[in-house]
Amino acid sequence: MALPRLTGALRSFSNVTKQDNYNEEVADLKLKRSRLQEQVLDLGLTWKKIVKFLNEKLEKSKMQNINEDLKDILQAAKQIVGPDNGREAIESGAAFLFMTFHLKDSVGHMETKAIKHMFGPFPSSSATAACDAINRIVSHFSQDEITAFVQLSEKECSDRVFFGKNLVFSFDMHDLDHFDELPVNGEAQKTISLDYKKFVNEHFQEHSTPELKPVEKSNGSFLWCEVEKYLNATLKEMTEAPRIEDLCCTLYDMLASVKSGDELQDELFELLGPEGLDLIEKLLQNRITIVDRFLNSSNDHKFQVLQDNCKKILGENAKPNYGCQVTIQSEQEKQLMKQYRREEKRIARREKKGGEDGEVFGEGLSSFDPKELRTLREQALLNARSAPLLSRQRDMDVEKIRYPHVYDSQAEARKTSAFIAGAKMILPEGIQRENNKLYEEIRIPYSEPMPVGFEEKPVYIQDLDEIGQLAFKGMKRLNRIQSIVFETAYNTNENMLICAPTGAGKTNIAMLTVLHEIRQHLQQGVIKKNEFKIVYVAPMKALAAEMTNYFSKRLEPLGIVVKELTGDMQLSKNEILRTQMLVTTPEKWDVVTRKSVGDVALSQIVKLLILDEVHLLHEDRGPVLESIVARTLRQVESTQSMIRILGLSATLPNYLDVATFLHVNPCIGLFYFDGRFRPVPLGQTFLGIKSANKMQQLNNMDEVCYESVLKQVKAGHQVMVFVHARNATVKTAMSLIERAKNCGQIFCFLPIQGPEYGHAEKQVQKSRNKQVRELFPDGFSIHHAGMLRQDRNLVENLFSNGHIKVLVCTATLAWGVNLPAHAVVIKGTQIYAAKRGSFVDLGILDVMQIFGRAGRPQFDKFGEGIIITTHEKLSHYLTLLTQQNPIESQFLESLADNLNAEIALGTVTNVEEAVKWISYTYLYVRMRANPLVYGISHKAYQIDPTLRKHREQLVIEVGRKLDKAQMIRFEERTGYFSSTDLGRTASHYYIKYNTIETFNQLFDAHKTEGDIFAIVSKAEEFDQIKVREEEIEELDALLNNFCELSAPGGVENSYGKINILLQTYISRGEMDSFSLISDSAYVAQNAARIVRALFEIALRKRWPTMTYRLLNLSKVIDKRLWGWASPLRQFSVLPPHILTRLEEKNLTVDKLKDMRKDEIGHILHHVNIGLKVKQCVHQIPSVTMEASIQPITRTVLRVTLSVYPDFTWNDQVHGTVGEPWWIWVEDPTNDHIYHSEYFLALKKQVLSKEAQLLVFTIPIFEPLPSQYYIRAVSDRWLGAEAVCIINFQHLILPERHPPHTELLDLQPLPVTALGCKAYEALYNFSHFNPVQTQIFHTLYHTDCNVLLGAPTGSGKTVAAELAIFRVFNKYPTSKAVYIAPLKALVRERMDDWKVRIEEKLGKKVIELTGDVTPDMKSIAQADLIVTTPEKWDGVSRSWQNRNYVQQVTILIIDEIHLLGEERGPVLEVIVSRTNFISSHTEKPVRIVGLSTALANARDLADWLNIKQMGLFNFRPSVRPVPLEVHIQGFPGQHYCPRMASMNKPAFQDGQRHWSRERLQPEADTSFWNRNASCWTT
C-alpha cells in the first residue's frame, strides 16, 4: 500500500516540520485555561447578558430610565454583597437578584430566605430597592419574553458537558482492520490484535518458554514461575492484577528480611490472601536457597523477559510517525514499557560507571555482590574524608557542611540517598487529601517535637547575673530555643541570625542581646546610658507599639528608656538623646540614618541593631532592609566601631544567604529551627474553593468556613476567623450566626452560663459598640483597628476568659496583641493593597503571623491553622508555607533611590565606593548564588565571579540617570559623585527618582494650588492606584461635593482620582467604598510628604510666592482644612456651629483679638462661648518683628532681626518644646528669596516674652529697590504669619572706594638698599619681592603712618621689620611696639626675633602677654615690645605713670582688619589713646597697620590719619605664589554632622592634589575651626 503524501493540512497537525517551542506551548495552555474560565463564567444568567438583552430589545429613549434602574440594582447588590468584594462579585450578585425577583412583585419570605442563604444577613431596604427596580424593568416586557430569556440562559448552563463526561468506554476489543496482514512499505508484519486476554495469553506465557535456559527448581526463576502461576490462577477474579516483576521484588524483599518464619507467614498471607497458601508454603520451604541463588545468579533474566515482551508490543519494524497518529495502549502495556525503560537505564548507568572507573566488569555487569559494594562504599567514604573541602563545587559544599545550630529536617532529607537531586519536596508525609466538587482539602498533620539533645540544658533565670534576673523577673527559665542560643546571645558579640517558627520566643532572644549590650556598659554598678543606643526594627507600626510596651516593662527595673520612633510617634532631638532603646520601622530608621540628627550623629552611637522579620527581604520593603544593613556594615568597617546585628526571621529556605548578607558566622551565629521547635505544634489545613463564579465562590467560602468553625467549637475549642476588611468582620460574624440558627446548631456557640458570665454581660452592655453588644449573647464577637481601644481590650479579655467562642477579626489582632486560640481560620486570601491599588494575595508574612496565634501553650497539645482560598491559589500557599521558594532580592528596583541616599549622606562619593557598597547588599549575595534571575549569563559569571564589572555597569547607568534628573553631579571621567539640593531633598523626604523627573518637567515658580495638586497626583508613589469601574459614580459625587479646586483628568484617569481623593480628604468628605477609603488614607499620607518636599525644593530655588503657597498647602493637608477656612477650626474645643457663625460673620483673628469676650459672645448668640473663643484666638502662634539694617559694603547688608513672641502658651495645644517658624527675606520686585532660616520659638521665650535675635547678611543692588519683605510663617499653624518691611528710602550706603593700589612693574630692590650690613645679614634672599619693593621707601625712609593691605604670604612681616629698623636708625632711645592678635602669633614672633633682632642686632626684645609679664626694669630697657591688644590696652591706660609707654615711637598693629570683629573696640581704643598720648607729649607716634586686602581701606586710612602717601591696598590676587580657590558649601544645621560631612570631600581634594603633584610632592594642610574637629578628622 502506497503511503499518503503529506499535505499542508496534515503538516499543520503533525510534528514532522515543527520545532520544539516550549514557551509557545505553555502560553497556549495558559490561554486555553483562561478561555475556559471565561466560558465557565459566561454560563448561566450574567449581568452582561441582562444588559445586552435590554439594549437589543428596548428603544434608546426608554434606556435612559432603564439605566437608572440598573444602577439601583447594582447599588443594592453592592450593599448586600459588600463593597470590599470587587466588581465581579457585585455584578454576579445583581444577576442573582434579577433571577430571584424577575417574576415577583415584592420581597417575600422565600426570596428573603434565598438571599440570606446566598449572602448571609443583608439590609432589607436594599432587597426592596432591587425588587422595585427589577419590576420597573420587567414591566417593559411580557412575562413570556422574560421567562424565555431566563430559561435560555439556564439551558446554556445545563447543556454544558464537562471534559471526559461523554466518553463511552467499552471493554470489548476490536481489530483495526479486516485484513490478516497490514503491508507497510511492501513488507509483511504480524497481525496486531487489541484483544487484552489474547495479549496476556500470548505474551505472559512466553516467560517460561524454552528460549530461556532451564533452571533448577529453587533458583531465582523458580520465584518468577511460581508467582506467574499464582497470578494466572487469580487473574480472572481480580480487576487490577499486580505486575509479575513488582510482586517478585516485594516477595524477595520479604524473604531477604531478618524476620522469623512465623512473622513472615502472617505478612505473606495478608499480601497474597487464601488463594496463595500453596505459594506461601513453597516460598518458606525454599527461602534460604532463593535468596542465596538470586544474589549469585545472572540478573539479566528479568531484563531479557521485559525486553522481549516490549519488542513484541512495539513490533520490530515500528511504523514511522506520519500525520496525526494515535497510539492506543492498555494500562498493563504502559506499565510494562515503563519497567523496561527503567531497567534499560539502570544497566546503562552501570556500564557507564564501569567505563569511568577504568574497570571492565564483564559478567559482573548483570550481577552484583553486596559485600563488594559495601567495600567500595567504605573506600569512597574514606577518600571523601581526606579530600580537600574547598575543591568541591559550591552547592555541594553548602549541603555537605554540618552547621552546629541548624535543625532543618528538609535539608537532612535532601542529603539522604532517597532524595532525587533538583526535585521539590512539596509536602511532608502523613498528609490527608480530600477532593470533592466544592473544594479540595489538604491536611498537614502537626509534626512531633524534636527530641531533646544530649547537650541541651535549660537555662534557669536564677542562674543569671543580677541584670538578667531583673529583666526576666517573673519567669522561671528560658524555653528550649532560647536556651540553645543563650551562650552566643548573652555572652558574645557575634552577629546572629535566628530562624524559628512564629511564637517560638524570638523576642526574648532579642532581650538576651539587649542585656549583653547593657552589661558591656556597666561600670562599678552604674549603667553608662549615654554611651550606647539599641535599635529594634519591627516591620509594622502595630508590632512596634507592642514591642515598645514589652521592652519598656522588662527594662524598667534597669532604668533603660524605650521609645517608639515611627511615622505616628515622632521624637524630639532631646528625647532621642535621652532614650537608650528605639523601636522603629524600616522606613523610619532609613530616613533617620539618611540625615544625621543632633550634634552627635545618632547612628554613630548605635551598638546593637535588631532586625525583626528579616524574611521581608523578598517583599516590596526588602530594599529598605538591605539599605539599612549595608549602611550599618559600611559604618562598622569605615569607623572601626562595633555594631552587632541580630536578624530574627521565620523559617526560610536559603538561610545561609541571609546569614552571609548579615555577616553572620554560620558556625557560631546561625540558628535555624524548623517546625518541630514550635511551642505548640501546628496542624495546617488548606482548602481551595473550586467555583469560578465569584458570588458562588464567596458563598462556598462562608459554607466551608462555617463547617470548619463548627467542627472546632464542637470539640470544645475557641476559634479566631481572620478576614481582610473591617466591615467584613461584622458581616462574617452575622453570616456564621445565621447559618448556625438555620442548621439548629446555635447552642454549640452559646457562652457557658458560669458565675463570671453575669459580670462579663454587664461589661458588654456598657460598651458603646452596638455590634459587640448584639453578637455577644450568641458567643461571637469582632475585633479590628477601627474600634475604640477600650472595646478592643474588652473583647480581648472576654476571649481570653472563654466567654467568646468565635472571634472574627482583622490581621491587626495577629500583629498587635498576643491573643492565642486553639484554631485560626483565614477566610479568603484576597486583600486590598492601597500601595498596589488592587486586590493582592495575602502575604506569607501575614499568614505565618496569623498561624502563629494557633495553639495556646498552656492548654493545647497542638494548634490548627486553616486557610480558605481559591483553588488556583492552593499550590501557591502550600509552596510558601513549606518553604520551597528561596527569597530573592528586590533591591534593583530601587537602586537609583538608595544610591542617591548614600551620595546625599556622603558615604558614597565615587563609582569605586558605590561598587563596594553594592557588595554589602543581599542583592550581591543572591546575584552570585542565582545569577540568571538577575540577568547575568552563566558565561559572564564564570569570567567575573565577583561580578565587579556588572556592579560597575549598574552604578554607571544609575549615576547617569540621577545626573540627568539633577539629583547628583556625576563626572564620568573621574567617576566622582556629588550631591545637589534636589538629591538631598529627595533623599530626606523619601521621594522616588521618577517623581523628581516629573517635578523637573512640570514644576515652576508660577503654578497655582490646583496645578500643584495636579503635579503631586502624577508622582510615581501613586502609580499603582487605578480607577475601577465600580468607583466612577462615587468619585463623580466626591468631585462635585468636596473638591474646591479643579481636578484635571477627571474620574476616568488615575491622577484625576488621586486629586479628587486628596481634596476630599482635606474637605473631610466621607466615602462608602472600602477601596476608596483605603486609597484615600494612602494618598493623604504620601501627599503630605511630597508637598513638603516640593516646599523645600521651592525654598532652595528661592521662589518666594511658590514657597509660601507650598508651605500653606502642606499645612492644609496636615490639618485637613482649606486655607480660606477660619484658623480657629484648628481647635477641637470649639463646636462646629460656632465656627460656622464666625465664618459667616467674617470675624478674622485680628478682629477677634480687639474684641472683648462678652462682645464675641453676643455676636455669636452664645454668651458663655466668648471666653473660650478669646482664649483660642490668643493661643494661635503670633510674632512681631523689628529689623535694623547696616550696610557693610555697597552690595552687602547686615540685618539684625528681633522676633518677639506674642501669644499665650498652652501645653495641650503647643506641646512642651517650642513652635517652629520659617523666616525668609524676599524681594517682591524680582520675586527672589535672599535669605531663609528655620527657627524655634521656645516655650520659655514665649512665657517670658523674650526677644530672639537673628543676624544675617543679604545682598543689595543699585539702583536701590524700594523695599524688601521679611516674612515669618508658622511651620504648623494655618493663619499664623507676620511680615516686616525693610525700607531703603533713608539708607546711606558707604562711599564708593578708590580702586586698589596697582602693583607697579618695578625692578626688584636688592637688600643692599638697607645700607646696613647687619640688617642685610638677617635675610637669606638677595632681593625684596614686588610688594616690599613698592613700599620700601615709605616705610624705611619716611615717618608717615602706613596702612598696608595685602594678601597673606606677601611678606608683611618684612614690612614691619623695615619700619622697626627705621626706629633703630633714627630714634635709638625710643621703643617700638608690635601688636599681634593672638598669643600664638606673639610666641612665633618672639621665637624669630629673639634670634634675629636680639642676638644678631643686640636689641632687647621682650614679650608682654597674659602669660608673660616681665618686670618694669626689663620693659624700660627693651627696644621692641611684642604684645597682644588686650595687654597693651591694659598697660597704656596708665601711660602717665609709665615712661616706657611715652617712649614708644612706632605702633605696629598686625591683622588690623579685626576691627570689624568682637575685639575691634580694643584696637580702636589703642589707636585713639596713642593719638591722645602723642598730642599730650607732643612726640609723634607712627602707626603702621598691617591687614589683608580691604574693601573700605580709605575709611580705615582716614581714621589712622594717613594721607595718600601711606595707603597701600593691593588686590587679593597680588600674591608672590598664585592661588587657586575652590569654595564648596555644605548643608546641615548642626555643627558636628556638618563637619563630619566635610571629611571625605577634604580627603578627596587632598588626594586629587597629591595625584596632580606626584612629580613634585608637597605637604598638604587642612585647617579646621575647632580643636576637636582636628582630632576627630
Side-chain angles (χ1 to χ4, degrees), residues 731-906:
K731 198 170 171 55
T732 304
M734 299 292 278
S735 169
L736 291 171
I737 292 171
E738 192 67 34
R739 283 176 192 275
K741 285 178 178 173
N742 290 344
C743 302
Q745 289 164 326
I746 192 69
F747 64 89
C748 300
F749 298 91
L750 298 177
I752 299 160
Q753 303 284 332
E756 291 178 6
Y757 177 73
H759 176 63
E761 199 171 23
K762 282 177 189 172
Q763 282 185 300
V764 170
Q765 291 312 314
K766 288 177 190 171
S767 169
R768 284 190 278 173
N769 192 308
K770 184 186 167 193
Q771 284 100 357
V772 170
R773 293 199 303 270
E774 287 175 357
L775 295 169
F776 179 71
D778 293 319
F780 284 78
S781 198
I782 57 167
H783 188 293
H784 57 75
M787 290 164 63
L788 294 173
R789 178 72 263 180
Q790 63 204 52
D791 286 335
R792 280 183 281 164
N793 288 342
L794 172 65
V795 170
E796 287 160 22
N797 292 332
L798 292 172
F799 190 79
S800 298
N801 297 331
H803 298 303
I804 295 169
K805 295 281 182 73
V806 181
L807 181 60
V808 187
C809 50
T810 56
T812 33
L813 182 63
W815 285 106
V817 187
N818 191 2
L819 188 69
H822 174 80
V824 295
V825 179
I826 300 174
K827 189 190 125 193
T829 53
Q830 287 286 294
I831 182 167
Y832 184 78
K835 276 194 173 181
R836 293 280 174 85
S838 59
F839 283 89
V840 294
D841 292 327
L842 185 67
I844 186 62
L845 178 65
D846 286 298
V847 175
M848 285 167 129
Q849 189 68 27
I850 291 168
F851 273 14
R853 295 288 177 251
R856 296 164 303 165
Q858 307 91 325
F859 312 108
D860 296 334
K861 285 185 179 176
F862 67 95
E864 289 184 67
I866 301 161
I867 186 166
I868 304 169
T869 181
T870 54
H871 194 257
E872 65 265 22
K873 294 292 174 192
L874 193 62
S875 61
H876 168 74
Y877 283 103
L878 273 170
T879 309
L880 286 175
L881 278 163
T882 48
Q883 293 107 39
Q884 292 297 319
N885 298 334
I887 62 171
E888 297 293 351
S889 170
Q890 309 296 321
F891 197 66
L892 274 177
E893 294 168 18
S894 58
L895 185 59
D897 297 321
N898 284 302
L899 180 60
N900 173 56
E902 296 302 321
I903 294 167
L905 189 59

Side-chain angles (χ1 to χ4, degrees), residues 646-667:
L646 167 65
L648 303 174
S649 160
T651 46
L652 39 88
N654 52 335
Y655 46 84
L656 278 168
D657 289 332
V658 179
T660 309
F661 162 59
L662 295 176
H663 286 212
V664 171
N665 181 339
C667 294

Side-chain angles (χ1 to χ4, degrees), residues 580-591:
Q580 285 76 51
M581 184 171 179
L582 292 167
V583 182
T584 179
T585 55
E587 290 78 6
K588 188 68 184 178
W589 187 242
D590 189 17
V591 170

